[in-house]
Amino acid sequence: MAFLKTILIILLVYYLLKFLAKLFAPKILNYAAKKTESHFREAFDNQRPFNQEEDESVIINKKPSRKKNDSEKVGEYIDFEELD
């Protein structure tokens, strides 16, 4: 009889935890999402503010595009036959 009582208590606790998890999981996940968002927002706000003067002084030097010559040897062509 004690074995059956133990099994019933284990099942009752399992289903009770399952029910509570379904009940509180959305609230816990919502809290975690808000907390993570606040951490990201705080990290973003602590960055150096954008400065217009620095943006105007940026110069980008591009390498001249190199044209590929068709006469340039790439490799050796090897013809093969399939053996049956």
Side-chain angles (χ1 to χ4, degrees):
M1 189 67 174
F3 177 71
L4 197 58
K5 193 175 185 181
T6 305
I7 297 294
L8 287 175
I9 290 172
I10 291 172
L11 287 174
L12 179 68
V13 168
Y14 172 75
Y15 283 110
L16 182 66
L17 288 175
K18 193 174 174 181
F19 173 74
L20 290 175
K22 282 185 181 181
L23 189 65
F24 291 115
K27 294 177 183 175
I28 293 171
L29 290 176
N30 193 17
Y31 172 76
K34 285 183 181 180
K35 199 73 167 166
T36 305
E37 180 187 355
S38 69
H39 282 291
F40 277 116
R41 190 174 308 277
E42 191 175 301
F44 182 76
D45 290 340
N46 288 338
Q47 289 180 353
R48 186 180 57 146
F50 182 75
N51 191 351
Q52 287 288 341
E53 294 171 4
E54 290 180 14
D55 187 39
E56 295 171 358
S57 67
V58 174
I59 300 172
I60 299 174
N61 293 326
K62 292 185 179 180
K63 287 184 176 180
S65 62
R66 191 175 147 206
K67 294 183 181 178
K68 186 176 179 182
N69 295 337
D70 291 335
S71 64
E72 189 177 302
K73 266 199 160 181
V74 176
E76 187 177 319
Y77 179 75
I78 301 174
D79 193 17
F80 69 94
E81 290 183 25
E82 288 187 23
L83 299 175
D84 290 327

